[in-house]
Amino acid sequence: MSPLDLQLDRISKTHSQICIIGLGQVGLPTALTFSHAGFSVVGVDINENIVNSLNSKKPYFVESGIEELLVNCIDKKLFKASTNFVESVSKSDIVIVCVATPITNDVKPNLQFLETVCLSLSKLDLKSKLIIIESSIPPGTFNNLVLPIINTNNNNFWTAFVPERLSPGSGLYEIQSTSRVIGTLDNDSKLLTEKLYDKITSGKIITTTVSIAEISKLVENTFRDVNIALANEISKICEIYEIDIQELLKVCNSHPRVNLLQPGPGVGGPCLPKDPYLLLNPQGNKPISSELISNSRKINDGMPKHVANIVYDSLNKQNKIPSNSSVLILGVAYKNNVSDSRFSPAEPLINELQQNGLSVFVHDPFSSERFGAKNIDSIWDVLNIIDVIVVITDHDDFKKFSLAKIKEKMKSIPIIIDTRRIFDKDECESLGIEYLSLGYKKSFKEGSNL
Ligand code: SAJ
């Protein structure tokens, strides 16, 4: 049996030993999904605390279904975590790299984690192994950085670029249902990688070139970021026209070819705020400029300030001054029901309000991050001194709060700035709560220039 047929057979029978490098929001769900499919998986991370936590069956971030899957895979001896890169890779047939590819403060790609992994791989014998990169990478990175580093001592391994597509919060479900894109340079790698991912998803397997696969991932997230920017701009237009954007969205999205997204207090998470910059910064080439993509990033990054202006305007209308006012921020996580607060709009908002003298309190049952504001474990402990509640994250828990009780506890004419529309605006207004939001008729208007 040829090495290719042998590996194909091992994948078919889930006999392949798989090594996942990087046990973050992508790596851990990926590792457990392959274990759940029957593969023996070792997850490697440089963070010993993460490795120890996982081996004690405790996930270190919130993800629906992850804890029970972790317990199940460990009990079945199909998953374990390790800090030992060399031993884990050496005994594996397949290596899947899921390390972070963040951006620097001047919004340039930071590929140090990926480069370190490629360098470590280059020192090992990768003969007849399948090496897969799932991390989002700037166009050209696979051919101009990943392969040249790994190839220094190896040239007899199979390899593919398979961009991850899971959305934290529904990661485990999406990994098993979303179609996957596989970019390869040769047919054997394509056959192996197709068979492997076919084991874990009911979605389609789309094979293409490495270049298309690299760019597709970044374009998917850029598409979303640009469309969120459009929704945010339209929300400001609605504030000027004094109409409710939610009514407008209902009408516009009834058109078969219109699908407007939701305005929000800003775009957070480890992906959307950075992937447009990866797209515009090809590996080894000069940056590409795109007014639409860059301005969309600016629009989304400007939303926390817009929310702050709504806070100031609402206090001003009650003749309250910022330095004598207190704000309760509901949620610092970048989106609902997750603990991740990376690039959360809560951070710039908290900084802005504190710099203007407001006392800022934060309540978030999912994330421990407070960005320098005062932590509140129960909102009922602090509402009596709160002038404004600002909803930043639409955690399901927040939707259960009694508006009548909030009204009773808060200072006179309480203000709720519900940027995620989790509360019923009519109920608020009938209780005498000043209800504001983005794209809502009574919100702050920054004049005709958006
Ligand atoms: N947001 C809005 N309005 C919307 C949708 C989202 O303001 O209508 C905000 C969210 O509140 C959040 C941010 O945008 O702060 C990002 O949220 P998201 O729903 O885009 O989710 P992510 O970033 O967790 O996942 C995205 C997904 N990409 C796409 O949907 C095209 C996911 O499939 C990717 O795998 C993931 O990025 C990634 O890891 O790249």
Side-chain angles (χ1 to χ4, degrees):
M1 200 185 254
S2 75
L4 173 67
D5 291 338
L6 182 62
Q7 189 63 267
L8 283 168
D9 185 56
R10 284 171 62 78
I11 292 173
S12 301
K13 294 172 182 159
T14 67
H15 289 171
S16 311
Q17 167 71 43
I18 298 178
C19 174
I20 306 286
I21 310 287
L23 296 174
Q25 305 268 357
V26 172
L28 181 60
T30 302
L32 296 180
T33 302
F34 277 110
S35 300
H36 184 61
F39 291 95
S40 169
V41 178
V42 57
V44 175
D45 203 288
I46 51 173
N47 185 320
E48 200 166 350
N49 294 332
I50 287 179
V51 167
N52 294 337
S53 166
L54 293 175
N55 284 333
S56 352
K57 303 182 183 179
K58 290 189 196 65
Y60 65 97
F61 58 81
V62 171
E63 177 70 50
S64 160
I66 199 106
E67 183 151 9
E68 41 270 49
L69 187 55
L70 173 63
V71 170
N72 182 279
C73 293
I74 290 180
D75 288 348
K76 286 184 180 164
K77 302 201 182 324
L78 285 173
F79 173 77
K80 75 177 173 59
S82 167
T83 55
N84 191 328
F85 181 95
V86 172
E87 180 194 81
S88 304
V89 169
S90 303
K91 71 181 190 184
S92 295
D93 305 293
I94 299 169
V95 179
I96 303 178
V97 180
C98 300
V99 294
T101 51
I103 49 174
T104 58
N105 290 336
D106 59 348
V107 296
K108 295 293 180 210
N110 172 1
L111 303 180
Q112 61 172 341
F113 304 119
L114 179 64
E115 286 183 78
T116 303
V117 168
C118 292
L119 210 55
S120 306
L121 287 172
S122 74
K123 293 175 182 143
L124 302 176
D125 175 8
L126 303 178
K127 187 171 179 323
S128 300
K129 293 188 193 294
L130 173 58
I131 310 293
I132 294 168
I133 307 294
E134 279 210 5
S135 308
S136 303
I137 49 180
T141 302
F142 194 85
N143 287 333
N144 302 331
L145 181 115
V146 168
L147 289 187
I149 294 176
I150 299 179
N151 276 334
T152 39
N153 299 321
N154 287 282
N155 53 20
N156 50 7
F157 59 92
W158 296 292
T159 189
F161 175 66
V162 183
E164 59 83 15
R165 278 182 157 182
L166 65 88
S167 179
S170 50
L172 287 175
Y173 165 73
E174 290 206 345
I175 262 190
Q176 296 172 53
S177 57
T178 305
S179 55
R180 296 302 293 264
V181 173
I182 291 174
T184 53
L185 301 166
D186 66 278
N187 196 52
D188 289 358
S189 298
K190 180 167 84 79
L191 290 174
L192 287 165
T193 312
E194 265 181 316
K195 186 171 283 294
L196 178 68
Y197 280 85
D198 198 42
K199 283 283 183 186
I200 61 165
T201 181
S202 56
K204 284 207 303 291
I205 304 285
I206 301 154
T207 58
T208 182
T209 66
V210 163
S211 304
I212 295 278
E214 280 175 329
I215 294 172
S216 69
K217 168 66 193 180
L218 305 175
V219 167
E220 287 159 13
N221 281 351
T222 300
F223 168 86
R224 195 153 168 86
D225 194 51
V226 167
N227 279 280
I228 294 167
L230 175 62
N232 286 332
E233 284 289 77
I234 289 173
S235 78
K236 289 184 261 187
I237 290 170
C238 289
E239 289 165 11
I240 293 168
Y241 284 129
E242 303 218 358
I243 58 169
D244 185 346
I245 190 169
Q246 295 306 323
E247 293 305 309
L248 181 70
L249 293 178
K250 236 183 272 174
V251 170
C252 291
N253 286 345
S254 70
H255 188 292
R257 285 182 298 284
V258 174
N259 178 26
L260 288 162
L261 297 180
Q262 287 291 328
V267 169
C271 310
L272 265 60
K274 72 145 174 136
D275 284 356
Y277 294 117
L278 296 192
L279 178 65
L280 298 179
N281 284 276
Q283 176 62 27
N285 278 310
K286 62 184 192 313
I288 297 169
S289 69
S290 160
E291 271 181 55
L292 173 64
I293 294 172
S294 306
N295 286 336
S296 297
R297 287 272 72 243
K298 284 196 195 87
I299 289 162
N300 291 334
D301 284 349
M303 290 311 287
K305 174 67 174 148
H306 184 69
V307 172
N309 285 335
I310 297 174
V311 172
Y312 302 143
D313 188 57
S314 65
L315 289 169
N316 188 36
K317 285 193 177 116
Q318 292 190 8
N319 301 314
K320 292 181 176 174
I321 56 170
S323 52
N324 280 350
S325 304
S326 300
V327 176
L328 171 62
I329 305 274
L330 289 185
V332 289
Y334 82 90
K335 71 174 189 179
N336 61 323
N337 307 327
V338 300
S339 50
D340 194 347
S341 59
R342 284 176 287 181
F343 288 94
S344 167
E347 182 172 16
L349 176 63
I350 290 166
N351 293 340
E352 159 74 24
L353 295 176
Q354 288 184 325
Q355 278 155 26
N356 271 287
L358 282 94
S359 297
V360 183
F361 300 84
V362 167
H363 172 65
D364 188 325
F366 282 85
S367 168
S368 56
E369 181 56 67
R370 290 298 175 262
F371 295 124
K374 301 176 196 73
N375 172 53
I376 294 297
D377 290 327
S378 162
I379 69 168
W380 311 114
D381 297 341
V382 76
L383 279 184
N384 61 312
I385 62 163
I386 295 296
D387 298 286
V388 189
I389 293 177
V390 182
V391 178
I392 291 297
T393 313
D394 42 340
H395 290 317
D396 290 342
D397 290 11
F398 296 164
K399 298 171 185 171
K400 300 171 196 151
F401 287 144
S402 152
L403 289 167
K405 200 173 164 195
I406 286 175
K407 161 72 173 149
E408 179 199 318
K409 293 275 184 184
M410 280 182 77
K411 290 178 159 181
S412 61
I413 317 183
I415 301 164
I416 294 183
I417 299 172
D418 182 8
T419 72
R420 302 291 192 176
R421 299 295 180 103
I422 63 170
F423 294 125
D424 180 318
K425 65 181 176 10
D426 297 331
E427 186 187 351
C428 284
E429 288 169 353
S430 67
L431 285 165
I433 294 172
E434 172 76 9
Y435 182 89
L436 295 168
S437 182
L438 298 167
Y440 187 51
K441 56 190 176 197
K442 293 192 285 182
S443 297
F444 172 78
K445 295 186 281 295
E446 275 156 334
S448 53
N449 59 322
L450 292 176

